[in-house]
Structure formats: structure tokens, C-alpha cells
């Protein structure tokens, strides 16, 4: 709720594991799709794309007018289109236009800077679209750079959410992970520390 209420044009959500990042991203596709607008979803690999593809098909079920399994594309009865892309290629979605994009597990994309700057950001130009970068951190890479942008650019917002903030996660399990894992791993994966 906090992220949705205070969203900026570009939103970087740095979150621990099992906080609900992908669910938030899928929820953020609702409004533009309902308004008949195109939305792009980006994932680092095909494997990470398949689960959210299945969830989207289930979520939009009876609202789907046309579906392409081969292209990972849903067209809803509203006219809105949801297209899914992997980021194995540095140049995904070239020539497309979107009202909103979601980049899931953004910190896992080796060439996020080039993909964002050369291919994905231009897809937002026609419709003055917005973006959501969702990820658990993975070192001080380009996801970290994007997270820092909110310090000096009013179009950017950044949020840090720890695993423990998920009300469906047992706090005792998080404490068990703290005891079991090396400190650095726990801080990154559960506390969302860069």
C-alpha cells in the first residue's frame, strides 16, 4: 500500500525474499490493462518468466480475449495487452510502446544498464509510461545505482522492504535463517541490504 500510494514515475523496490515483489508487480499491471493500455513484463531468464506467466493467465482468466503461448502475450477484453520478455538479449521489446513496465528480479540482469537505457526506457516515451524495478539485491550493481536515483531525482522512488514485513512469514523462521546462514547472505536475502 505504501509503495502504491507514494509511487513515482520510476520505482525501485529493494526487498527481501518472499516479501511479495512479483505479486506487487502483477497487481501494478491491473490499471493500465483495464484502461486498454499495453504493459511490458521483463524477467532475467525464461525460467523466472514461466511462473509469473502462469500466474498472469490465472489472474486474468475470463478477461483474456486472445493469448499467445509462443509469444507470452495476453490481450484482454479491455484492449489492454500484457507482453512478457526475457532479458537474455540486451535489446528486448525494441519497437514496442508501453504505459507501464515491470522488471522482475532486476538485480539478476547482468546488462540491466544497457537494456534499460537502450531498449526498455524508450518503450515508455509514447505513452509517458512508468516503471517498476523489483528485486532482492545482488551486490552493488546497476540495480543499486537505480535505487540511489531517488536521492537526487524527484521522478524516482526507492523502497526497502525486509522479509519480516511479510505478515504471512513466520518470524521464527526468519530468525532460524539468521542463525543458519552466513551474516552477509542473511543481510542480502532477508534484510535487502546491498
Amino acid at each position: 500500500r505504501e509503495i502504491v500510494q507514494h509511487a513515482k514515475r520510476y520505482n525501485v523496490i529493494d526487498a527481501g525474499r518472499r516479501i511479495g515483489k512479483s505479486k506487487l508487480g502483477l497487481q501494478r499491471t491491473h490499471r493500465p490493462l483495464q484502461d486498454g493500455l499495453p504493459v511490458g513484463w521483463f524477467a532475467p531468464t525464461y525460467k523466472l518468466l514461466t511462473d509469473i506467466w502462469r500466474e498472469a493467465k490465472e489472474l486474468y482468466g475470463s478477461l483474456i480475449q486472445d493469448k499467445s503461448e509462443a509469444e507470452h502475450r495476453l490481450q484482454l477484453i479491455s484492449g489492454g495487452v500484457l507482453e512478457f520478455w526475457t532479458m537474455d538479449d540486451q535489446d528486448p521489446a525494441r519497437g514496442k510502446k508501453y504505459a507501464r513496465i515491470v522488471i522482475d528480479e532486476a538485480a539478476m540482469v547482468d546488462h540491466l544498464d544497457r537494456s534499460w537505457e537502450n531498449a526498455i526506457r524508450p518503450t515508455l516515451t509514447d505513452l509517458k509510461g512508468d516503471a517498476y524495478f523489483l528485486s532482492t539485491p545482488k551486490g552493488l550493481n546497476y540495480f543499486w545505482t537505480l535505487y540511489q536515483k531517488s536521492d537526487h531525482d524527484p521522478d524516482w522512488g526507492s523502497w526497502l522492504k525486509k522479509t519480516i514485513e511479510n505478515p504471512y512469514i513466520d518470524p521464527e523462521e526468519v530468525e532460524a535463517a539468521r542463525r543458519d546462514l552466513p551474516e552477509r547472505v542473511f543481510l542480502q536475502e532477508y534484510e535487502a541490504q546491498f
Side-chain angles (χ1 to χ4, degrees):
R1 187 177 312 139
E2 173 194 347
I3 293 167
V4 171
Q5 288 175 349
H6 300 288
K8 304 285 185 171
R9 183 168 186 196
Y10 308 110
N11 303 279
V12 183
I13 295 85
D14 168 36
R17 300 281 287 272
R18 311 308 309 149
I19 192 70
K21 298 178 294 295
S22 298
K23 295 225 182 290
L24 169 67
L26 202 51
Q27 185 273 336
R28 299 308 297 147
T29 68
H30 292 210
R31 175 62 64 196
L33 290 173
Q34 189 176 45
D35 292 343
L37 297 168
V39 175
W41 186 284
F42 298 83
T45 64
Y46 182 79
K47 177 129 177 76
L48 289 170
L49 185 75
T50 55
D51 287 340
I52 201 70
W53 167 246
R54 279 193 294 273
E55 282 187 49
K57 289 187 298 184
E58 187 177 308
L59 175 68
Y60 288 113
S62 63
L63 301 175
I64 297 172
Q65 181 178 29
D66 189 37
K67 170 179 62 177
S68 171
E69 291 285 343
E71 295 179 355
H72 290 95
R73 183 179 187 276
L74 301 175
Q75 181 171 350
L76 304 188
I77 57 176
S78 64
V81 174
L82 179 55
E83 296 178 315
F84 293 81
W85 301 88
T86 65
M87 296 181 69
D88 297 331
D89 176 7
Q90 294 181 25
D91 212 14
R94 183 168 283 278
K96 297 292 186 171
K97 64 180 179 184
Y98 294 117
R100 175 163 292 153
I101 63 106
V102 176
I103 301 178
D104 199 13
E105 297 299 352
M108 293 179 63
V109 179
D110 290 330
H111 47 78
L112 181 60
D113 54 345
R114 291 186 300 279
S115 293
W116 168 246
E117 293 165 0
N118 297 325
I120 299 172
R121 171 56 181 90
T123 69
L124 301 174
T125 302
D126 295 69
L127 301 172
K128 298 180 183 175
D130 58 20
Y132 287 82
F133 299 83
L134 315 172
S135 199
T136 299
K138 189 176 180 183
L140 299 178
N141 59 13
Y142 194 66
F143 179 67
W144 175 76
T145 301
L146 295 176
Y147 185 83
Q148 304 299 313
K149 284 183 174 269
S150 64
D151 292 343
H152 53 82
D153 189 332
D155 283 342
W156 287 79
S158 297
W159 290 266
L160 186 148
K161 297 292 177 186
K162 300 176 181 181
T163 299
I164 196 72
E165 294 179 60
N166 181 340
Y168 301 104
I169 297 291
D170 183 347
E172 291 178 20
E173 180 59 21
V174 174
E175 284 308 309
R178 183 189 305 274
R179 289 189 303 272
D180 294 343
L181 297 171
E183 181 181 20
R184 185 175 181 168
V185 172
F186 179 82
L187 290 174
Q188 177 177 277
E189 301 298 324
Y190 287 82
E191 301 271 307
Q193 297 296 315
F194 287 99

